[in-house]
Amino acid sequence: MSKLEGKIAIVTGAARGIGQQIAKKLAAEGADVAVCDLKEEWCAETVGLVEGLGRKALAVGVNVAVSAEVDACVKKVIETFGKVDIMVNNAGITKDGLLMRMSDEDWDAVLNVNLKGTFLFTRAVARPMMKNKAADGTQLGGVIINIASVVGIMGNAGQANYTASKGGVIALTKTTAKELGSRNVRCNAVAPGFIQSKMTDVLPDDVKKAYMDTIPLKRFGTAEDIAKCVAFLAGPDADYITGQIISVNGGMIG
Ligand SMILES: NC(=O)c1ccc[n+]([C@@H]2O[C@H](COP(=O)([O-])OP(=O)(O)OC[C@H]3O[C@@H](n4cnc5c(N)ncnc54)[C@H](O)[C@@H]3O)[C@@H](O)[C@H]2O)c1
């Protein structure tokens, strides 16, 4: 039996990039997936990938930074699938600039999507996950996985808003684990290093080379590298892991 057979997952920012690969991997492990992104129509490709693996998919247009939209999304998932077992908070944006020149708008936009969005979905799924019980009353709980970043641990010039948001996600992950652990809801974060994606494609070559020099494994990560770690954390092999920040960064930092 596949490790996530019968599980229902929500993945935000799943239209492309890392989120798309996470949705695909969770489906490959047996989960049905709510594919969430800003616009429902952007989710079509990922929905096709999930369905191609023989799993059910639901496309949901949701802005993770808007409380009412997040609550409506979780409600729709529960109406469709009956429950939610796995929550992956992956949606994220950057608006880089040196902090002395950073506008209030760029600060707020990044904090609202990356940190507040993670909080809103965590709050919305907490109660439904706590209600997940087996027929014999055993607490099944659920799993929340937040996508942080290596720079949320080490800081990075030019990314005051982004690094603060990811540092916040790390602290939120630890607090969530402490608050919900007694109901068997686990919460961990994956901290990717430099991953090949639309987010990093735009960086100049000299910046990419500087990063490569710091990576012992001498390659940039792929979205699949992150998805494999998320699937592990979502499954039974990670039953006793909560409140942890797992770095997937080729050895960039220890
Ligand atoms: N690419 C990297 O090197 C890297 C490194 C560390 C961490 N991360 C993190 O991984 C996650 C995914 O990154 P990616 O590289 O795949 O980025 P990406 O830009 O390719 O994809 C992000 C997705 O999130 C969606 N999104 C943005 N704002 C949203 C909102 N308000 N509501 C709903 N969806 C929204 C976008 O539409 C997009 O589909 C992010 O949290 C990012 O911070 C990426």
PDB file of all heavy atoms in Angstrom, residues 13 15-19 37-38 42 62-65 90-93 113 147-149 162 166 192-195 197-200, ligand 1:
ATOM      1  N   GLY A  13       0.279  27.373  -3.555  1.00  0.00           N
ATOM      2  CA  GLY A  13       1.300  27.737  -4.544  1.00  0.00           C
ATOM      3  C   GLY A  13       1.653  26.548  -5.412  1.00  0.00           C
ATOM      4  O   GLY A  13       2.806  26.362  -5.805  1.00  0.00           O
ATOM      5  N   ALA A  15       0.582  25.694  -8.483  1.00  0.00           N
ATOM      6  CA  ALA A  15       0.423  25.779  -9.936  1.00  0.00           C
ATOM      7  C   ALA A  15       1.730  25.496 -10.668  1.00  0.00           C
ATOM      8  O   ALA A  15       1.722  25.078 -11.830  1.00  0.00           O
ATOM      9  CB  ALA A  15      -0.095  27.170 -10.320  1.00  0.00           C
ATOM     10  N   ARG A  16       2.849  25.740 -10.002  1.00  0.00           N
ATOM     11  CA  ARG A  16       4.139  25.580 -10.691  1.00  0.00           C
ATOM     12  C   ARG A  16       5.240  25.332  -9.661  1.00  0.00           C
ATOM     13  O   ARG A  16       4.983  25.291  -8.446  1.00  0.00           O
ATOM     14  CB  ARG A  16       4.452  26.835 -11.508  1.00  0.00           C
ATOM     15  CG  ARG A  16       4.701  28.050 -10.627  1.00  0.00           C
ATOM     16  CD  ARG A  16       5.029  29.277 -11.442  1.00  0.00           C
ATOM     17  NE  ARG A  16       5.765  30.253 -10.638  1.00  0.00           N
ATOM     18  CZ  ARG A  16       5.971  31.521 -10.976  1.00  0.00           C
ATOM     19  NH1 ARG A  16       5.484  31.970 -12.105  1.00  0.00           N
ATOM     20  NH2 ARG A  16       6.662  32.326 -10.197  1.00  0.00           N
ATOM     21  N   GLY A  17       6.451  25.170 -10.150  1.00  0.00           N
ATOM     22  CA  GLY A  17       7.646  25.140  -9.294  1.00  0.00           C
ATOM     23  C   GLY A  17       7.612  24.052  -8.236  1.00  0.00           C
ATOM     24  O   GLY A  17       7.160  22.925  -8.465  1.00  0.00           O
ATOM     25  N   ILE A  18       8.093  24.405  -7.058  1.00  0.00           N
ATOM     26  CA  ILE A  18       8.226  23.445  -5.957  1.00  0.00           C
ATOM     27  C   ILE A  18       6.849  22.903  -5.549  1.00  0.00           C
ATOM     28  O   ILE A  18       6.682  21.699  -5.340  1.00  0.00           O
ATOM     29  CB  ILE A  18       8.945  24.120  -4.762  1.00  0.00           C
ATOM     30  CG1 ILE A  18      10.403  24.441  -5.144  1.00  0.00           C
ATOM     31  CG2 ILE A  18       8.899  23.233  -3.519  1.00  0.00           C
ATOM     32  CD1 ILE A  18      11.162  25.296  -4.125  1.00  0.00           C
ATOM     33  N   GLY A  19       5.848  23.779  -5.482  1.00  0.00           N
ATOM     34  CA  GLY A  19       4.513  23.354  -5.071  1.00  0.00           C
ATOM     35  C   GLY A  19       3.931  22.322  -6.025  1.00  0.00           C
ATOM     36  O   GLY A  19       3.271  21.362  -5.594  1.00  0.00           O
ATOM     37  N   ASP A  37      -3.816  27.800  -5.760  1.00  0.00           N
ATOM     38  CA  ASP A  37      -2.955  28.900  -6.211  1.00  0.00           C
ATOM     39  C   ASP A  37      -3.837  30.136  -6.389  1.00  0.00           C
ATOM     40  O   ASP A  37      -5.068  30.041  -6.232  1.00  0.00           O
ATOM     41  CB  ASP A  37      -2.201  28.533  -7.501  1.00  0.00           C
ATOM     42  CG  ASP A  37      -0.828  29.223  -7.568  1.00  0.00           C
ATOM     43  OD1 ASP A  37      -0.787  30.468  -7.670  1.00  0.00           O
ATOM     44  OD2 ASP A  37       0.194  28.523  -7.491  1.00  0.00           O
ATOM     45  N   LEU A  38      -3.216  31.272  -6.709  1.00  0.00           N
ATOM     46  CA  LEU A  38      -3.969  32.526  -6.783  1.00  0.00           C
ATOM     47  C   LEU A  38      -5.185  32.432  -7.700  1.00  0.00           C
ATOM     48  O   LEU A  38      -6.246  32.946  -7.382  1.00  0.00           O
ATOM     49  CB  LEU A  38      -3.036  33.646  -7.260  1.00  0.00           C
ATOM     50  CG  LEU A  38      -2.248  34.384  -6.179  1.00  0.00           C
ATOM     51  CD1 LEU A  38      -1.241  35.332  -6.820  1.00  0.00           C
ATOM     52  CD2 LEU A  38      -3.174  35.141  -5.230  1.00  0.00           C
ATOM     53  N   TRP A  42      -4.946  28.542 -13.146  1.00  0.00           N
ATOM     54  CA  TRP A  42      -3.505  28.263 -13.189  1.00  0.00           C
ATOM     55  C   TRP A  42      -3.198  26.834 -12.713  1.00  0.00           C
ATOM     56  O   TRP A  42      -2.113  26.320 -12.919  1.00  0.00           O
ATOM     57  CB  TRP A  42      -2.734  29.239 -12.291  1.00  0.00           C
ATOM     58  CG  TRP A  42      -2.785  30.676 -12.710  1.00  0.00           C
ATOM     59  CD1 TRP A  42      -3.335  31.189 -13.863  1.00  0.00           C
ATOM     60  CD2 TRP A  42      -2.280  31.800 -11.979  1.00  0.00           C
ATOM     61  NE1 TRP A  42      -3.204  32.557 -13.886  1.00  0.00           N
ATOM     62  CE2 TRP A  42      -2.562  32.955 -12.741  1.00  0.00           C
ATOM     63  CE3 TRP A  42      -1.621  31.953 -10.756  1.00  0.00           C
ATOM     64  CZ2 TRP A  42      -2.198  34.246 -12.319  1.00  0.00           C
ATOM     65  CZ3 TRP A  42      -1.259  33.229 -10.341  1.00  0.00           C
ATOM     66  CH2 TRP A  42      -1.544  34.361 -11.113  1.00  0.00           C
ATOM     67  N   VAL A  62      -7.146  30.698  -4.489  1.00  0.00           N
ATOM     68  CA  VAL A  62      -7.142  31.275  -3.139  1.00  0.00           C
ATOM     69  C   VAL A  62      -5.902  32.149  -2.963  1.00  0.00           C
ATOM     70  O   VAL A  62      -4.803  31.761  -3.348  1.00  0.00           O
ATOM     71  CB  VAL A  62      -7.179  30.165  -2.054  1.00  0.00           C
ATOM     72  CG1 VAL A  62      -6.070  29.140  -2.208  1.00  0.00           C
ATOM     73  CG2 VAL A  62      -7.131  30.755  -0.633  1.00  0.00           C
ATOM     74  N   ASN A  63      -6.137  33.343  -2.403  1.00  0.00           N
ATOM     75  CA  ASN A  63      -5.008  34.179  -2.001  1.00  0.00           C
ATOM     76  C   ASN A  63      -4.706  33.834  -0.542  1.00  0.00           C
ATOM     77  O   ASN A  63      -5.520  34.122   0.344  1.00  0.00           O
ATOM     78  CB  ASN A  63      -5.380  35.657  -2.150  1.00  0.00           C
ATOM     79  CG  ASN A  63      -4.216  36.566  -1.795  1.00  0.00           C
ATOM     80  OD1 ASN A  63      -3.256  36.146  -1.149  1.00  0.00           O
ATOM     81  ND2 ASN A  63      -4.304  37.814  -2.221  1.00  0.00           N
ATOM     82  N   VAL A  64      -3.551  33.248  -0.296  1.00  0.00           N
ATOM     83  CA  VAL A  64      -3.240  32.751   1.052  1.00  0.00           C
ATOM     84  C   VAL A  64      -3.179  33.868   2.095  1.00  0.00           C
ATOM     85  O   VAL A  64      -3.239  33.600   3.295  1.00  0.00           O
ATOM     86  CB  VAL A  64      -1.914  31.948   1.087  1.00  0.00           C
ATOM     87  CG1 VAL A  64      -1.966  30.753   0.164  1.00  0.00           C
ATOM     88  CG2 VAL A  64      -0.709  32.844   0.786  1.00  0.00           C
ATOM     89  N   ALA A  65      -3.061  35.121   1.632  1.00  0.00           N
ATOM     90  CA  ALA A  65      -2.933  36.240   2.555  1.00  0.00           C
ATOM     91  C   ALA A  65      -4.289  36.785   3.003  1.00  0.00           C
ATOM     92  O   ALA A  65      -4.348  37.717   3.807  1.00  0.00           O
ATOM     93  CB  ALA A  65      -2.112  37.356   1.903  1.00  0.00           C
ATOM     94  N   ASN A  90       3.249  26.261   0.993  1.00  0.00           N
ATOM     95  CA  ASN A  90       4.370  26.455   0.064  1.00  0.00           C
ATOM     96  C   ASN A  90       4.349  27.801  -0.644  1.00  0.00           C
ATOM     97  O   ASN A  90       5.395  28.304  -1.043  1.00  0.00           O
ATOM     98  CB  ASN A  90       4.340  25.318  -0.973  1.00  0.00           C
ATOM     99  CG  ASN A  90       5.209  25.617  -2.174  1.00  0.00           C
ATOM    100  OD1 ASN A  90       6.426  25.457  -2.121  1.00  0.00           O
ATOM    101  ND2 ASN A  90       4.605  26.085  -3.261  1.00  0.00           N
ATOM    102  N   ALA A  91       3.162  28.426  -0.792  1.00  0.00           N
ATOM    103  CA  ALA A  91       3.077  29.674  -1.555  1.00  0.00           C
ATOM    104  C   ALA A  91       4.046  30.699  -0.975  1.00  0.00           C
ATOM    105  O   ALA A  91       4.120  30.873   0.245  1.00  0.00           O
ATOM    106  CB  ALA A  91       1.649  30.225  -1.508  1.00  0.00           C
ATOM    107  N   GLY A  92       4.791  31.355  -1.843  1.00  0.00           N
ATOM    108  CA  GLY A  92       5.749  32.347  -1.352  1.00  0.00           C
ATOM    109  C   GLY A  92       6.144  33.297  -2.456  1.00  0.00           C
ATOM    110  O   GLY A  92       6.080  32.958  -3.642  1.00  0.00           O
ATOM    111  N   ILE A  93       6.524  34.516  -2.066  1.00  0.00           N
ATOM    112  CA  ILE A  93       6.975  35.514  -3.039  1.00  0.00           C
ATOM    113  C   ILE A  93       8.229  36.211  -2.518  1.00  0.00           C
ATOM    114  O   ILE A  93       8.530  36.147  -1.318  1.00  0.00           O
ATOM    115  CB  ILE A  93       5.892  36.592  -3.332  1.00  0.00           C
ATOM    116  CG1 ILE A  93       5.498  37.344  -2.036  1.00  0.00           C
ATOM    117  CG2 ILE A  93       4.671  35.971  -3.985  1.00  0.00           C
ATOM    118  CD1 ILE A  93       4.648  38.588  -2.300  1.00  0.00           C
ATOM    119  N   VAL A 113       2.073  37.267   2.449  1.00  0.00           N
ATOM    120  CA  VAL A 113       1.958  35.980   1.736  1.00  0.00           C
ATOM    121  C   VAL A 113       2.730  34.895   2.493  1.00  0.00           C
ATOM    122  O   VAL A 113       2.187  33.834   2.831  1.00  0.00           O
ATOM    123  CB  VAL A 113       2.483  36.099   0.287  1.00  0.00           C
ATOM    124  CG1 VAL A 113       2.478  34.721  -0.391  1.00  0.00           C
ATOM    125  CG2 VAL A 113       1.644  37.090  -0.505  1.00  0.00           C
ATOM    126  N   ILE A 147       7.067  25.520   4.092  1.00  0.00           N
ATOM    127  CA  ILE A 147       8.289  25.685   3.291  1.00  0.00           C
ATOM    128  C   ILE A 147       8.966  26.983   3.730  1.00  0.00           C
ATOM    129  O   ILE A 147       8.458  28.081   3.490  1.00  0.00           O
ATOM    130  CB  ILE A 147       7.985  25.689   1.775  1.00  0.00           C
ATOM    131  CG1 ILE A 147       7.191  24.424   1.380  1.00  0.00           C
ATOM    132  CG2 ILE A 147       9.298  25.781   0.995  1.00  0.00           C
ATOM    133  CD1 ILE A 147       7.861  23.086   1.703  1.00  0.00           C
ATOM    134  N   ALA A 148      10.100  26.825   4.410  1.00  0.00           N
ATOM    135  CA  ALA A 148      10.876  27.981   4.885  1.00  0.00           C
ATOM    136  C   ALA A 148      11.955  28.287   3.845  1.00  0.00           C
ATOM    137  O   ALA A 148      11.711  28.221   2.635  1.00  0.00           O
ATOM    138  CB  ALA A 148      11.462  27.660   6.255  1.00  0.00           C
ATOM    139  N   SER A 149      13.169  28.584   4.291  1.00  0.00           N
ATOM    140  CA  SER A 149      14.287  28.819   3.359  1.00  0.00           C
ATOM    141  C   SER A 149      15.588  28.863   4.141  1.00  0.00           C
ATOM    142  O   SER A 149      15.600  29.271   5.312  1.00  0.00           O
ATOM    143  CB  SER A 149      14.111  30.152   2.634  1.00  0.00           C
ATOM    144  OG  SER A 149      15.277  30.448   1.894  1.00  0.00           O
ATOM    145  N   TYR A 162      11.950  39.053   3.002  1.00  0.00           N
ATOM    146  CA  TYR A 162      11.854  37.599   2.750  1.00  0.00           C
ATOM    147  C   TYR A 162      12.487  36.793   3.885  1.00  0.00           C
ATOM    148  O   TYR A 162      11.902  35.820   4.375  1.00  0.00           O
ATOM    149  CB  TYR A 162      12.542  37.293   1.416  1.00  0.00           C
ATOM    150  CG  TYR A 162      12.440  35.853   0.968  1.00  0.00           C
ATOM    151  CD1 TYR A 162      11.260  35.350   0.409  1.00  0.00           C
ATOM    152  CD2 TYR A 162      13.527  34.980   1.077  1.00  0.00           C
ATOM    153  CE1 TYR A 162      11.171  34.028  -0.016  1.00  0.00           C
ATOM    154  CE2 TYR A 162      13.446  33.664   0.654  1.00  0.00           C
ATOM    155  CZ  TYR A 162      12.264  33.201   0.105  1.00  0.00           C
ATOM    156  OH  TYR A 162      12.184  31.883  -0.312  1.00  0.00           O
ATOM    157  N   LYS A 166      10.611  34.177   6.463  1.00  0.00           N
ATOM    158  CA  LYS A 166      10.971  32.754   6.583  1.00  0.00           C
ATOM    159  C   LYS A 166      11.472  32.436   8.000  1.00  0.00           C
ATOM    160  O   LYS A 166      11.233  31.327   8.503  1.00  0.00           O
ATOM    161  CB  LYS A 166      12.011  32.378   5.530  1.00  0.00           C
ATOM    162  CG  LYS A 166      11.487  32.483   4.090  1.00  0.00           C
ATOM    163  CD  LYS A 166      10.304  31.558   3.838  1.00  0.00           C
ATOM    164  CE  LYS A 166       9.893  31.529   2.377  1.00  0.00           C
ATOM    165  NZ  LYS A 166       8.791  30.587   2.117  1.00  0.00           N
ATOM    166  N   PRO A 192      14.563  24.876   2.053  1.00  0.00           N
ATOM    167  CA  PRO A 192      15.340  24.634   0.835  1.00  0.00           C
ATOM    168  C   PRO A 192      16.527  25.585   0.751  1.00  0.00           C
ATOM    169  O   PRO A 192      16.482  26.708   1.257  1.00  0.00           O
ATOM    170  CB  PRO A 192      14.349  24.941  -0.296  1.00  0.00           C
ATOM    171  CG  PRO A 192      12.997  25.008   0.336  1.00  0.00           C
ATOM    172  CD  PRO A 192      13.232  25.434   1.750  1.00  0.00           C
ATOM    173  N   GLY A 193      17.582  25.093   0.097  1.00  0.00           N
ATOM    174  CA  GLY A 193      18.705  25.979  -0.229  1.00  0.00           C
ATOM    175  C   GLY A 193      18.419  26.637  -1.563  1.00  0.00           C
ATOM    176  O   GLY A 193      17.313  27.134  -1.788  1.00  0.00           O
ATOM    177  N   PHE A 194      19.387  26.597  -2.460  1.00  0.00           N
ATOM    178  CA  PHE A 194      19.205  27.214  -3.778  1.00  0.00           C
ATOM    179  C   PHE A 194      18.566  26.181  -4.706  1.00  0.00           C
ATOM    180  O   PHE A 194      19.189  25.193  -5.073  1.00  0.00           O
ATOM    181  CB  PHE A 194      20.564  27.651  -4.326  1.00  0.00           C
ATOM    182  CG  PHE A 194      20.464  28.546  -5.531  1.00  0.00           C
ATOM    183  CD1 PHE A 194      20.788  29.891  -5.443  1.00  0.00           C
ATOM    184  CD2 PHE A 194      20.038  28.047  -6.756  1.00  0.00           C
ATOM    185  CE1 PHE A 194      20.686  30.717  -6.558  1.00  0.00           C
ATOM    186  CE2 PHE A 194      19.931  28.864  -7.868  1.00  0.00           C
ATOM    187  CZ  PHE A 194      20.262  30.204  -7.770  1.00  0.00           C
ATOM    188  N   ILE A 195      17.312  26.419  -5.070  1.00  0.00           N
ATOM    189  CA  ILE A 195      16.570  25.471  -5.904  1.00  0.00           C
ATOM    190  C   ILE A 195      16.342  26.090  -7.284  1.00  0.00           C
ATOM    191  O   ILE A 195      15.934  27.251  -7.382  1.00  0.00           O
ATOM    192  CB  ILE A 195      15.195  25.145  -5.261  1.00  0.00           C
ATOM    193  CG1 ILE A 195      15.370  24.677  -3.809  1.00  0.00           C
ATOM    194  CG2 ILE A 195      14.431  24.119  -6.094  1.00  0.00           C
ATOM    195  CD1 ILE A 195      16.224  23.454  -3.604  1.00  0.00           C
ATOM    196  N   SER A 197      14.456  27.244 -10.171  1.00  0.00           N
ATOM    197  CA  SER A 197      13.019  27.552 -10.304  1.00  0.00           C
ATOM    198  C   SER A 197      12.867  28.928 -10.923  1.00  0.00           C
ATOM    199  O   SER A 197      13.850  29.647 -11.121  1.00  0.00           O
ATOM    200  CB  SER A 197      12.366  27.554  -8.920  1.00  0.00           C
ATOM    201  OG  SER A 197      12.878  28.649  -8.175  1.00  0.00           O
ATOM    202  N   LYS A 198      11.609  29.283 -11.196  1.00  0.00           N
ATOM    203  CA  LYS A 198      11.349  30.624 -11.762  1.00  0.00           C
ATOM    204  C   LYS A 198      11.819  31.707 -10.793  1.00  0.00           C
ATOM    205  O   LYS A 198      12.231  32.788 -11.198  1.00  0.00           O
ATOM    206  CB  LYS A 198       9.854  30.776 -12.046  1.00  0.00           C
ATOM    207  CG  LYS A 198       9.374  29.908 -13.201  1.00  0.00           C
ATOM    208  CD  LYS A 198       8.322  30.629 -14.039  1.00  0.00           C
ATOM    209  CE  LYS A 198       8.070  29.966 -15.376  1.00  0.00           C
ATOM    210  NZ  LYS A 198       7.396  28.681 -15.306  1.00  0.00           N
ATOM    211  N   MET A 199      11.742  31.383  -9.472  1.00  0.00           N
ATOM    212  CA  MET A 199      12.142  32.366  -8.463  1.00  0.00           C
ATOM    213  C   MET A 199      13.642  32.659  -8.543  1.00  0.00           C
ATOM    214  O   MET A 199      14.084  33.772  -8.302  1.00  0.00           O
ATOM    215  CB  MET A 199      11.776  31.837  -7.066  1.00  0.00           C
ATOM    216  CG  MET A 199      11.890  32.839  -5.948  1.00  0.00           C
ATOM    217  SD  MET A 199      11.410  32.123  -4.356  1.00  0.00           S
ATOM    218  CE  MET A 199       9.714  32.629  -4.212  1.00  0.00           C
ATOM    219  N   THR A 200      14.437  31.628  -8.888  1.00  0.00           N
ATOM    220  CA  THR A 200      15.903  31.804  -8.900  1.00  0.00           C
ATOM    221  C   THR A 200      16.460  31.987 -10.313  1.00  0.00           C
ATOM    222  O   THR A 200      17.584  32.457 -10.470  1.00  0.00           O
ATOM    223  CB  THR A 200      16.589  30.595  -8.236  1.00  0.00           C
ATOM    224  OG1 THR A 200      16.107  29.388  -8.831  1.00  0.00           O
ATOM    225  CG2 THR A 200      16.317  30.542  -6.749  1.00  0.00           C
TER     226      THR A 200
HETATM  227  N1  LIG B   1      13.300  28.487  -5.467  1.00  0.00           N
HETATM  228  C1  LIG B   1      14.126  28.505  -4.444  1.00  0.00           C
HETATM  229  O1  LIG B   1      15.350  28.506  -4.592  1.00  0.00           O
HETATM  230  C2  LIG B   1      13.590  28.517  -3.048  1.00  0.00           C
HETATM  231  C3  LIG B   1      14.497  28.470  -2.005  1.00  0.00           C
HETATM  232  C4  LIG B   1      14.025  28.483  -0.711  1.00  0.00           C
HETATM  233  C5  LIG B   1      12.668  28.527  -0.471  1.00  0.00           C
HETATM  234  N2  LIG B   1      11.797  28.578  -1.503  1.00  0.00           N
HETATM  235  C6  LIG B   1      10.375  28.636  -1.170  1.00  0.00           C
HETATM  236  O2  LIG B   1       9.675  27.597  -1.833  1.00  0.00           O
HETATM  237  C7  LIG B   1       8.335  28.001  -2.099  1.00  0.00           C
HETATM  238  C8  LIG B   1       8.019  27.793  -3.568  1.00  0.00           C
HETATM  239  O3  LIG B   1       8.940  28.532  -4.341  1.00  0.00           O
HETATM  240  P1  LIG B   1       9.096  28.380  -5.925  1.00  0.00           P
HETATM  241  O4  LIG B   1      10.531  28.571  -6.222  1.00  0.00           O
HETATM  242  O5  LIG B   1       8.396  27.183  -6.405  1.00  0.00           O
HETATM  243  O6  LIG B   1       8.313  29.715  -6.366  1.00  0.00           O
HETATM  244  P2  LIG B   1       7.405  30.019  -7.638  1.00  0.00           P
HETATM  245  O7  LIG B   1       7.378  31.499  -7.743  1.00  0.00           O
HETATM  246  O8  LIG B   1       7.841  29.219  -8.828  1.00  0.00           O
HETATM  247  O9  LIG B   1       5.968  29.465  -7.181  1.00  0.00           O
HETATM  248  C9  LIG B   1       5.247  30.072  -6.133  1.00  0.00           C
HETATM  249  C10 LIG B   1       3.760  29.825  -6.355  1.00  0.00           C
HETATM  250  O10 LIG B   1       3.057  30.481  -5.297  1.00  0.00           O
HETATM  251  C11 LIG B   1       1.938  31.144  -5.858  1.00  0.00           C
HETATM  252  N3  LIG B   1       1.547  32.278  -5.026  1.00  0.00           N
HETATM  253  C12 LIG B   1       2.187  33.456  -4.870  1.00  0.00           C
HETATM  254  N4  LIG B   1       1.486  34.276  -4.061  1.00  0.00           N
HETATM  255  C13 LIG B   1       0.376  33.599  -3.705  1.00  0.00           C
HETATM  256  C14 LIG B   1      -0.749  33.917  -2.889  1.00  0.00           C
HETATM  257  N5  LIG B   1      -0.855  35.116  -2.308  1.00  0.00           N
HETATM  258  N6  LIG B   1      -1.726  32.988  -2.738  1.00  0.00           N
HETATM  259  C15 LIG B   1      -1.628  31.776  -3.356  1.00  0.00           C
HETATM  260  N7  LIG B   1      -0.593  31.426  -4.131  1.00  0.00           N
HETATM  261  C16 LIG B   1       0.399  32.326  -4.310  1.00  0.00           C
HETATM  262  C17 LIG B   1       2.417  31.601  -7.231  1.00  0.00           C
HETATM  263  O11 LIG B   1       1.322  31.896  -8.093  1.00  0.00           O
HETATM  264  C18 LIG B   1       3.244  30.403  -7.676  1.00  0.00           C
HETATM  265  O12 LIG B   1       2.472  29.453  -8.358  1.00  0.00           O
HETATM  266  C19 LIG B   1       8.248  29.453  -1.629  1.00  0.00           C
HETATM  267  O13 LIG B   1       7.701  29.508  -0.329  1.00  0.00           O
HETATM  268  C20 LIG B   1       9.682  29.896  -1.626  1.00  0.00           C
HETATM  269  O14 LIG B   1       9.897  30.964  -0.733  1.00  0.00           O
HETATM  270  C21 LIG B   1      12.220  28.581  -2.793  1.00  0.00           C
END
